[in-house]
Amino acid sequence: LVPVYRELVEQTGLLGRLAAIGAVEVTPEQTFSEPARVQAEVQAAALQLVDQGAEAVLLAGAAMAAMAPALQPALPVPLLD
C-alpha cells in the first residue's frame, strides 16, 4: 500500500512535505490477537519515520485506530489516527 499512499499524497500536492511512508507487516486480525507485538512494531516503525524527519505520524487503517493513545507517550511527535 505504500505506493498507493504516496500517490494520494502527490495528488493532493503535499509530496514535498512528506518525510516518509512506513508500513508494518501485520494482518488486521493480529492487531487483536497479538496487540502487544503489533503495537511494538508500530511504535518502532513510527520512531523510524521520526528519524527520517517526520514531524507527525499518521496511523492508517481501521485496525490501527485504537493504538494512538497507547503509543503517543513513547513518541516525540504527534500521532494521529
Side-chain angles (χ1 to χ4, degrees), residues 19-77:
I21 297 176
V24 292
E25 296 294 326
V26 298
T27 65
E29 293 81 14
Q30 289 171 322
T31 63
F32 300 104
S33 66
E34 304 174 63
R37 180 183 71 81
V38 172
Q39 286 184 4
E41 288 188 34
V42 171
Q43 179 178 331
L47 289 169
Q48 287 178 340
L49 295 172
V50 171
D51 288 345
Q52 294 175 46
E55 295 177 2
V57 174
L58 173 66
L59 296 177
M64 306 280 177
M67 288 189 195
L71 296 176
Q72 182 60 76
L75 298 173
V77 298

Side-chain angles (χ1 to χ4, degrees), residues 6-15:
R6 182 172 298 283
E7 184 177 323
L8 289 171
V9 172
E10 185 174 16
Q11 288 174 359
T12 64
L14 296 173
L15 192 58

